[in-house]
Structure formats: structure tokens, C-alpha cells
Amino acid sequence: GGKARFSMRPDDVFCHARPARPSRYARCSRIISLLFLHAWLMVGGTASGSMEGACTLLESSGWMGQDQSYRIAAPNTFISGMLLPVQIERRGEAVQISEQCHVCWSDEGREHDPVCKLVMLHKGRGSTALRLNAELDIGPRTVRVAVLSVAEDDAIEKELASTLTTGLPARLPEICDEVVGGVLADEQDLSWPGNAVICVNSTVRVPFGKILQVHAGTTILVSDRADVIVHGILQVLGTLDSPVLWIPMQLEPWGGLELRGRDEEALFPNLLLHSWFLGGGGSRATYKQRGHSESQPVVLVESSGLTMIGGGVTDSPGKAFYARSSVVQSYCTHIARCDTGGEYENSHLHLEGAVVIEVPNSEWRGLDDDNDGVYLLGKHPTIKGPSAIR
């Protein structure tokens, strides 16, 4: 990114680069990201405003059960028929071993006839993706999601409210608050409101110099193999109970989120707070494939930077992350049931409180030497605990 000066000696060649000064846009984007991070940490109660408190903050509340040992992390609302991430956590001495639990759900008034799914907890962390179907034409409903330990007589539950009667593709036009596609240039198109349903019916591009903000509780439905490509800045401002969901519009997987910058701006200008990605990385096009597993990344970072706190990438045919010549900071993110946990080429990676499990699937079927949890090429990462990478 800068002017190079070469000096020749008989036995070597050295290249000394003087970095170019970042552009005004690059400096402003970093300031904006840092301000958002500082505000989020201060509101959450970490007076120091330091990133080391991010995971502690996320792990300090919401524990339930007889001995306050279990926790369910799931959106407070859902769209019937669409994918919904549910994360289960356990703390205490039992986290050193793997255990099974049942995740059960039932419609309001049908608690006596729940539907259950077996989930494995690895070092106290597990997850699943549900399709909760409220009955048609009866208005919003409440669904109870419960976690029952197989080994112990302990159970917790959380109530989730459906915001819409159905999410079936035949009725998609009715549930979309906004339909977007193409280049987003107008300021109105660059702010996606909270608790809204944004339908991406074709590939979206955010041009250089623009900032796309996505607010808490937003569900982004992306059509078959469409992408969201950001040349500018992406700020996703979800919360633990009102995360931002990126899920397929129909049964076919969507493409991926691409964060593309310039070398001098690769200092985490993009921010993902409590953002969940499901059913992504579905493109079979060769030019979309990255890495040695030859699959599309759900989140691609090239010559840019990303800070991600909470949320995660699950249940996707593609690899969760791919970064090249970038800076990626990840705090308390959850990766499961993807082709690869993440591949990082010549990139600075910081993982703290990471969960990378069940790659490529919960039964480890089809596992080969390409289904890595974390694949590194060129630089050493920083990994801090407690992390579970299996």
C-alpha cells in the first residue's frame, strides 16, 4: 500500500515499505466502529470499555435451572417456517465432558405434545437450528422451547413469540417490510430498521464510501444464492435477545456476505454484534469458491477488517469464514455444522471464547482432511479461552 525502497547487497534483497497514510474515509470508518464498540461495552456494564470484557459480559446473565447452570440463547421472536438458531450453554464442573440434552418445543396450548430434538453439548456448548411452524391464519403465537438434560433431572424453558403467521414462500410478499437488490446508494436504503423483515431478492452491493446499518431484531431473508457485497462499511447492531438473522428466503441456500475493502483500511471497520448466519455458502460457481475445501464462504473478508461479538455461523453448506489479507477479531462466536470452521490466509486472527464444533455435521459424516475447524496459512493467530474447538 506504500512506496517501496529497495537496497541491494551481494547476498540478499530487502524491500522496505513505507505505509501510505490511510484515506480520510478509512480513518473515519475506524472511528465509527470504535465508537459503536465503546458505546456497546459501556451500556453493557463494562466500565473500562475494553474488548477483554466482551465475553464476560455475554456470559454473565440469563442462567436458569435448579443450580443456574443452563442457558438458552435464542431470538425472542421468530418467523414461522423459517430457520431459527438456538444455542445451549452449560457451566460448572460438567462442562469438561460431552453430554446430551433434548431441545423440545410446543405450540401454545399443546405443551403436552412437544417435538424434541437431541443435541450434543461439547464442553458445555451446543446449538441447533429449528423450523418452528405456528398454525396458519390464527395470528401470532407463543412457542415454548425447553432444554432437558438427559443425565440429570433439570429443565429450563424460554418463550418465543411468532411475529407472523407463516413464512411460506407463497406468502413472502406479505411478510417483507422492504425488498432490496442491486446497488444501495440512497441513504434510506442504507439503514435497515429494527424488528423488520428485509427481503434480498438479488445480490446487493454497498458502494465504497457508504455505510449500511442493520438494527436489532432484523431478519434478512436472502434469495437463492444471492450475496450481500459490501465495499463500504457494514454495522450490524443486534442484541442477545434481538439478534440480526441472515437466513435463506426459501429452502435453497443463499450465497454469502462479502466484506471487501482496500489494504490501507484493513483495521476492523466492519462490525457484527449478535449476528447469526444460517443456510449460507450455497453457490456452486467456481469464482465464488475459496480455500482448499473449494466452497463458498458464508462470511468473506478480503483486504478489510471485521470485529464480531456474539452470534455465529451454523447449518450452512459453505465454510463459515474465509479471510485474506485482513484483520478478524471474534469474541464468543459460535460455529457449527459448516463445511469448514474458517480459513485465514495471510490474515491477523484473534479468537476469544470461540466455539467451533460439529464440522462438517453433528455426526461427523463425510469428515475428511478438508473439514477443518480453523485453517491457518501465513500468520499465527491469538486464541484465548475459554474456547471449544473440536
Side-chain angles (χ1 to χ4, degrees):
K3 298 180 179 179
R5 183 180 71 255
F6 292 88
S7 62
M8 299 289 294
R9 295 195 310 198
D11 52 347
D12 342 73
V13 176
F14 291 89
C15 175
H16 307 281
R18 184 176 73 249
R21 186 182 183 188
S23 65
R24 179 179 297 178
Y25 171 73
R27 297 196 300 272
C28 290
S29 68
R30 295 172 190 174
I31 293 172
I32 291 171
S33 290
L34 291 173
L35 286 174
F36 272 122
L37 282 172
H38 178 75
W40 181 83
L41 290 167
M42 293 298 290
V43 169
T46 54
S48 65
S50 65
M51 292 304 299
E52 280 70 18
C55 286
T56 303
L57 172 62
L58 297 183
E59 295 171 355
S60 61
S61 62
W63 296 96
M64 298 178 283
Q66 295 179 0
D67 55 357
Q68 297 290 294
S69 59
Y70 284 96
R71 179 168 68 172
I72 301 176
N76 281 339
T77 60
F78 68 96
I79 301 176
S80 179
M82 296 297 182
L83 285 173
L84 177 78
V86 177
Q87 184 180 7
I88 305 100
E89 299 178 75
R90 181 170 185 182
R91 62 182 178 181
E93 296 180 358
V95 302
Q96 298 304 319
I97 60 173
S98 297
E99 65 170 319
Q100 294 178 326
C101 67
H102 291 291
V103 176
C104 303
W105 61 97
S106 60
D107 202 359
E108 186 176 11
R110 296 185 179 180
E111 292 82 2
H112 63 284
D113 187 25
V115 179
C116 293
K117 186 175 184 179
L118 194 63
V119 175
M120 180 69 73
L121 300 185
H122 308 274
K123 291 190 176 181
R125 309 290 181 87
S127 66
T128 188
L130 306 179
R131 285 189 189 272
L132 305 181
N133 293 293
E135 295 183 11
L136 303 182
D137 303 323
I138 57 175
R141 302 280 285 182
T142 297
V143 172
R144 289 181 174 85
V145 175
V147 174
L148 297 88
S149 172
V150 173
E152 302 176 11
D153 185 20
D154 199 3
I156 60 173
E157 66 176 32
K158 179 176 182 176
E159 292 188 353
L160 312 178
S162 66
T163 56
L164 299 156
T165 57
T166 180
L168 297 176
R171 300 183 64 174
L172 273 174
E174 299 179 19
I175 70 173
C176 300
D177 294 305
E178 293 185 26
V179 178
V180 297
V183 178
L184 303 183
D186 297 335
E187 295 303 322
Q188 183 176 357
D189 296 333
L190 291 168
S191 179
W192 294 354
N195 302 312
V197 178
I198 307 297
C199 294
V200 179
N201 63 0
S202 63
T203 292
V204 163
R205 295 180 182 273
V206 178
F208 178 78
K210 299 293 184 179
I211 300 176
L212 172 61
Q213 284 192 1
V214 184
H215 296 275
T218 298
T219 298
I220 302 166
L221 302 179
V222 191
S223 63
D224 180 9
R225 295 178 177 82
D227 303 310
V228 176
I229 302 175
V230 180
H231 296 279
I233 300 296
L234 176 65
Q235 304 285 351
V236 178
L237 310 176
T239 66
L240 186 63
D241 290 327
S242 297
V244 172
L245 303 184
W246 305 70
I247 57 179
M249 185 180 294
Q250 301 177 346
L251 297 179
E252 292 296 320
W254 62 289
L257 170 65
E258 300 183 7
L259 305 175
R260 299 182 174 275
R262 300 181 180 181
D263 290 338
E264 69 269 22
E265 293 154 16
L267 186 59
F268 39 88
N270 300 290
L271 178 63
L272 297 177
L273 298 181
H274 297 289
S275 194
W276 286 93
F277 300 83
L278 290 83
S283 177
R284 300 185 184 94
T286 304
Y287 72 97
K288 287 292 183 181
Q289 298 173 356
R290 294 290 188 279
H292 68 297
S293 63
E294 298 181 348
S295 62
Q296 182 185 17
V298 181
V299 179
L300 169 72
V301 190
E302 286 194 337
S303 300
S304 186
L306 169 65
T307 295
M308 184 170 182
I309 301 176
V313 183
T314 71
D315 303 278
S316 296
K319 57 171 52 69
F321 290 91
Y322 179 86
R324 184 171 64 85
S325 302
S326 297
V327 179
V328 177
Q329 296 192 358
S330 176
Y331 299 86
C332 293
T333 54
H334 188 103
I335 298 172
R337 299 173 298 281
C338 298
D339 167 69
T340 300
E343 186 167 343
Y344 304 88
E345 178 183 352
N346 195 32
S347 296
H348 296 279
L349 172 65
H350 178 94
L351 289 178
E352 183 173 335
V355 177
V356 184
I357 56 175
E358 299 181 355
V359 176
N361 49 61
S362 57
E363 292 84 18
W364 282 280
R365 285 198 301 262
L367 180 66
D368 58 34
D369 61 356
D370 285 335
N371 299 121
D372 302 296
V374 178
Y375 186 94
L376 303 168
L377 182 64
K379 294 184 183 296
H380 293 289
T382 302
I383 300 178
K384 293 186 177 182
S387 297
I389 301 177
R390 177 172 178 173

